Amino acid sequence: MSPKFSLDPFEEQYAHRTSSMLSSEIRDLLSVTARPDIISLAGGLPFTQAFDPEIILNTVRSVLEHDHAAALQYGPTDGYAPLKHNLVEIMAAEGTPCFPEDIMITNGAQQGLELIAKIFINPGDSIITEAPSYVGALNSFLSYQPHIHPIAMDEHGMRTDLLEQTLAELVGKDAPAKFIYVVPNFHNPAGITMSRERRFRLLELAHEYDCLVVEDNPYGLLRFDGEPEPSLRSLDEGRVIYLGTLSKIFAAGMRIGWVAAPHPILDKLLLAKQSADLCSSTFTQMVAHRYFGSEDWRGQIEHLKEIYRGRRDAMLEALEEHLGGIARWTRPQGGLFVWVTLPDFIKASEMLAAAISAKVAYVPGTGFFPYAGGECCMRLNFSYADEETIREGIKRLSKVIKHELSLARALGYDIGPLPGECGTGEVTGG
Ligand SMILES: Cc1ncc(COP(=O)(O)O)c(C=O)c1O
């Protein structure tokens, strides 16, 4: 194992795969952001306060009154069958056809990602992600030791011209990509939605190069503006492994996600889940089934969207007011996140300590790239803090950024107009 100095007395015992698990340095810094005096734009928390506790209480009570013994029991590995019907309905609300038998329920979409990594990735295998990409997916993938090939995004999503180039190169090296992982709607962290043309092109290329597509769609129903795009699964059921979750439309704390996939893949995932946890919580699955069966979940999503839309607008307006002409940012049509690109001499991870002293926090962009990139970028969350807090947070952040700019000026940096792309392949917004 690594000869590097470590305070961990168990260093020699760990499996090699732990060395590719991403550093906790930023997590340590961010752990202070729970302090009430810090405005955290760093998390990715849905606003669960928007739920009426009475509704949740009644739902839980009715589950326990109706069948407490089943709720407290183990359940089938593939999930509580009645809930699958609700999940089919949720997918239909986005125009994605699915049958209950195409679904395996997981412990959040995160478990789906972990199980996909487990059944597909051998050390050294090639896989493709967007750049930036969801950090939880990168972590799951990296622990199985693949070569990740990040493909830059622009405002239309993953650049399929670069994807094509990479797929061809990998075939040339006899290391064809196993799968392409994408978050097509309101991307975490980039806030971007993949255009219809790119969706079609992505699937064409996947077909041409015979690789699978992993479509991770936690945010699709949280659209504030514009028209929905077709899901990749609805365009090519035979090649797409679809991941859904109740975390953003119901309760992240219930830990309910699902995978919809071709049946042979579902069979392998089932074996992998069996050894991971036997089954997901029967209790929370029954609660979710009751909630989606008898409550106005569509109305609740509308309510959430109204709150998030206001918060997104507050963030975009505050960015314009305080950082217009200094930074670029994406303008998400839904979801939870804005991606900000600063001038390339500002390193967002180095600036984080100063931001925390100024009582505001964000996630530096580097965490969303498997190897390098994102140094001058940050992810901002708008779902959790209220509008006034968001405005104040951006104001504090802009002071920190402007201070960095004045330092850079003093050091003789040429401060051009707006930042372009910095590092390797990341998104610049409008
Ligand atoms: C893109 C993406 N995929 C998966 C997840 C995991 O969600 P879950 O709570 O269902 O595990 C998240 C959570 O933020 C996410 O942003």
Side-chain angles (χ1 to χ4, degrees):
M1 283 291 286
S2 151
K4 73 174 190 258
F5 175 72
S6 168
L7 288 175
D8 183 345
F10 307 107
E11 189 66 40
E12 299 297 315
Q13 267 65 45
Y14 298 125
H16 291 246
R17 73 179 71 88
T18 61
S19 64
S20 51
M21 292 175 176
L22 295 181
S23 118
S24 61
E25 188 185 317
I26 286 173
R27 226 170 279 155
D28 292 347
L29 256 185
L30 291 177
S31 64
V32 304
T33 64
R35 278 177 13 207
D37 58 330
I38 292 182
I39 295 178
S40 180
L41 305 174
L45 300 183
F47 189 60
T48 42
Q49 289 87 333
F51 279 87
D52 179 351
E54 273 303 304
I55 291 180
I56 306 297
L57 200 63
N58 290 339
T59 310
V60 170
R61 186 180 292 121
S62 85
V63 164
L64 293 175
E65 279 170 359
H66 184 251
D67 198 349
H68 80 282
L72 302 179
Q73 195 50 275
Y74 290 112
T77 305
D78 62 328
Y80 179 58
L83 177 60
K84 291 188 185 182
H85 291 272
N86 304 112
L87 303 181
V88 165
E89 206 183 325
I90 291 168
M91 288 176 75
E94 274 194 88
T96 304
C98 188
F99 295 100
E101 55 272 25
D102 301 336
I103 287 178
M104 180 178 91
I105 295 172
T106 53
N107 210 13
Q110 185 63 42
Q111 186 182 43
L113 289 165
E114 177 70 23
L115 298 179
I116 287 167
K118 191 174 180 179
I119 69 164
F120 282 111
I121 301 175
N122 288 319
D125 277 351
S126 305
I127 61 165
I128 290 179
T129 65
E130 292 152 315
S133 187
Y134 167 53
V135 63
L138 291 178
N139 277 333
S140 283
F141 299 158
L142 281 170
S143 63
Y144 291 88
Q145 301 168 293
H147 289 302
I148 297 184
H149 299 269
I151 307 288
M153 302 172 78
D154 61 18
E155 69 268 33
H156 306 294
M158 179 186 264
R159 283 194 38 198
T160 40
D161 56 330
L162 299 179
L163 173 65
E164 181 171 19
Q165 212 174 305
T166 301
L167 287 167
E169 277 166 19
L170 291 173
V171 165
K173 288 183 193 156
D174 207 16
K178 283 243 168 113
F179 62 78
I180 306 165
Y181 167 73
V182 286
V183 182
N185 296 318
F186 324 122
H187 188 271
N188 176 5
I192 281 177
T193 294
M194 190 185 282
S195 69
R196 186 166 298 220
E197 295 71 28
R198 292 272 171 92
R199 290 174 195 237
F200 279 99
R201 184 67 187 135
L202 170 70
L203 291 169
E204 252 171 36
L205 289 169
H207 179 74
E208 190 179 331
Y209 288 90
D210 194 21
C211 68
L212 290 161
V213 175
V214 178
E215 174 179 33
D216 188 4
N217 184 33
Y219 307 106
L221 282 171
L222 296 177
R223 174 177 278 283
F224 323 140
D225 327 304
E227 290 304 310
E229 300 296 349
S231 69
L232 297 171
R233 180 183 155 93
S234 70
L235 299 174
D236 189 349
E237 228 174 80
R239 190 168 293 281
V240 174
I241 305 174
Y242 177 97
L243 294 165
T245 178
L246 300 185
S247 289
K248 317 296 169 174
I249 56 168
F250 180 39
M254 297 273 170
R255 307 307 303 130
I256 296 172
W258 69 97
V259 185
H263 289 195
I265 294 176
L266 222 46
D267 292 345
K268 280 277 187 291
L269 288 171
L270 190 77
L271 293 176
K273 180 169 166 68
Q274 224 156 33
S275 65
D277 66 358
L278 302 178
C279 64
S280 296
S281 156
T282 313
F283 177 57
T284 62
Q285 290 181 81
M286 286 175 77
V287 170
H289 169 59
R290 281 251 142 184
Y291 173 80
F292 283 93
S294 53
E295 296 298 333
D296 178 20
W297 60 271
R298 288 184 173 83
Q300 179 62 23
I301 292 176
E302 287 309 311
H303 177 50
L304 278 175
K305 277 167 39 174
E306 215 169 288
I307 296 171
Y308 292 170
R309 184 189 291 111
R311 292 177 179 187
R312 186 246 354 228
D313 290 346
M315 182 169 278
L316 294 180
E317 283 162 22
L319 283 166
E320 196 56 58
E321 183 182 344
H322 298 291
L323 287 170
I326 293 175
R328 282 184 190 276
W329 52 88
T330 55
R331 292 177 167 76
Q333 292 187 311
L336 269 56
F337 304 109
V338 171
W339 179 254
V340 177
T341 304
L342 302 169
D344 62 6
F345 46 82
I346 298 183
K347 305 295 173 229
S349 47
E350 288 169 19
M351 194 178 73
L352 183 58
I356 288 173
S357 314
K359 304 207 179 328
V360 61
Y362 55 84
V363 185
T366 41
F368 303 100
F369 291 76
Y371 310 117
E375 287 80 4
C376 58
C377 300
M378 59 174 71
R379 187 192 75 179
L380 301 179
N381 167 264
F382 57 78
S383 59
Y384 198 69
D386 62 35
E387 292 176 29
E388 200 186 322
T389 309
I390 286 175
R391 288 181 200 277
E392 175 60 26
I394 299 293
K395 193 169 154 192
R396 291 181 192 178
L397 184 59
S398 73
K399 281 192 187 148
V400 178
I401 292 169
K402 285 173 186 166
H403 179 66
E404 293 287 314
L405 277 178
S406 63
L407 287 180
R409 255 191 217 107
L411 289 171
Y413 277 98
D414 178 21
I415 298 172
L418 276 175
E421 292 196 14
C422 83
T424 50
E426 62 249 17
V427 193
T428 50

